[in-house]
Amino acid sequence: MSPQPNRGKSSLFSGFIPTSQKQRLCPLKGISWHQGTIKYLLFLSCLVIPITNLSSASAHKVEIAGDVGGTLHIEPNDNPRAGEPSQAWFALTRRGGRVIPLSQCNCRLAVYAQPYAAGEPPLLEPQLEPVAAERYQGIPGAEVVFPKPGIYELQLNGKPVSGARFKPFEFKFEVTVAGGSTQNTRNQRNVNGDLVEGESQQLPIWAIALPILGFIGILVVVLRSMRSGSE
């Protein structure tokens, strides 16, 4: 008769596996925890970064009319200020990505202060000139000085000149203008009727530093807990 295996002995010592052997048997036990920690830290960083960049630039404004697409960008950083010159340019492209320069477009720019009534004359009609911006050459651009803080609407109308092939278009871009750095913008009413008491729209230093310090503190605590758990 063949000897029977000692089942009692194996069952007795099955629970007493050395720690090193357990780590070899379960090599991925701590990885999921570390991955969760990394994801948590990335989530916290995603919360901190937008807070520290509230005063940064917003995305370019894009409109589409027929077979023409238009992108508006205003220097500096899509954040115009009242009483200060702002360079506005319009990247016009046909369907397929071909750029429409100002030389191929009979374009007109009109600036309205919101709200405005139908048929009301524009507040400003800046002269368009060909400009080079980013990867675009010869696109329509103009210098605009918004008189007061508030919400404005920039209307760009365009028709093809002789030989150009695209449909007439009209774009309407809404632009928010902040208070300028000059004293004449203090304690005045903006174009929407709201009182503007100060010119600064930027966050104070403590409001930017506080979330960063909080994130560093959380990071230190998590790293200490990871270190103590691994020992």
Side-chain angles (χ1 to χ4, degrees):
M1 295 178 64
S2 59
Q4 295 294 326
N6 193 345
R7 297 180 179 178
K9 185 176 181 180
S10 61
S11 61
L12 178 63
F13 291 95
S14 61
F16 295 88
I17 302 176
T19 303
S20 59
Q21 187 175 352
K22 288 182 179 180
Q23 292 176 350
R24 291 195 299 269
L25 293 176
C26 303
L28 301 179
K29 183 177 180 180
I31 293 180
S32 60
W33 186 86
H34 290 301
Q35 289 178 344
T37 303
I38 294 173
K39 291 180 180 179
Y40 180 69
L41 294 176
L42 291 176
F43 173 73
L44 290 177
S45 64
C46 291
L47 292 179
V48 173
I49 292 174
I51 293 176
T52 58
N53 290 280
L54 287 177
S55 60
S56 60
S58 60
H60 295 351
K61 301 179 184 297
V62 180
E63 294 286 340
I64 298 176
D67 59 345
V68 179
T71 301
L72 167 65
H73 177 71
I74 299 181
E75 298 287 354
N77 301 324
D78 286 312
N79 187 27
R81 292 184 174 275
E84 302 177 7
S86 299
Q87 179 68 34
W89 52 262
F90 302 85
L92 304 177
T93 56
R94 290 177 53 187
R95 185 174 301 170
R98 181 174 297 179
V99 178
I100 302 176
L102 183 59
S103 59
Q104 297 180 7
C105 178
N106 184 11
C107 296
R108 173 179 174 268
L109 176 62
V111 180
Y112 294 87
Q114 293 278 31
Y116 67 94
E120 181 180 338
L123 180 66
L124 301 171
E125 290 186 279
Q127 181 67 34
L128 291 170
E129 297 180 356
V131 298
E134 296 183 358
R135 66 180 185 275
Y136 305 103
Q137 299 292 328
I139 57 176
E143 183 178 87
V144 182
V145 180
F146 299 97
K148 296 181 180 181
I151 301 176
Y152 294 82
E153 184 176 274
L154 274 62
Q155 292 187 9
L156 181 67
N157 296 274
K159 297 179 180 180
V161 300
S162 178
R165 295 184 179 180
F166 60 87
K167 296 179 180 179
F169 62 84
E170 179 182 69
F171 295 136
K172 296 181 179 181
F173 300 95
E174 188 175 278
V175 176
T176 301
V177 178
S181 58
T182 56
Q183 291 296 325
N184 58 5
T185 62
R186 185 175 298 275
N187 295 330
Q188 68 176 10
R189 293 190 176 275
N190 65 13
V191 294
N192 310 106
D194 299 326
L195 183 64
V196 179
E197 296 182 353
E199 51 84 18
S200 178
Q201 300 292 326
Q202 297 182 352
L203 291 175
I205 297 177
W206 64 265
I208 298 176
L210 187 60
I212 297 177
L213 294 176
F215 173 72
I216 294 175
I218 295 174
L219 179 61
V220 171
V221 173
V222 172
L223 291 178
R224 285 183 178 177
S225 61
M226 292 173 58
R227 184 177 301 176
S228 60
S230 61
E231 293 177 353

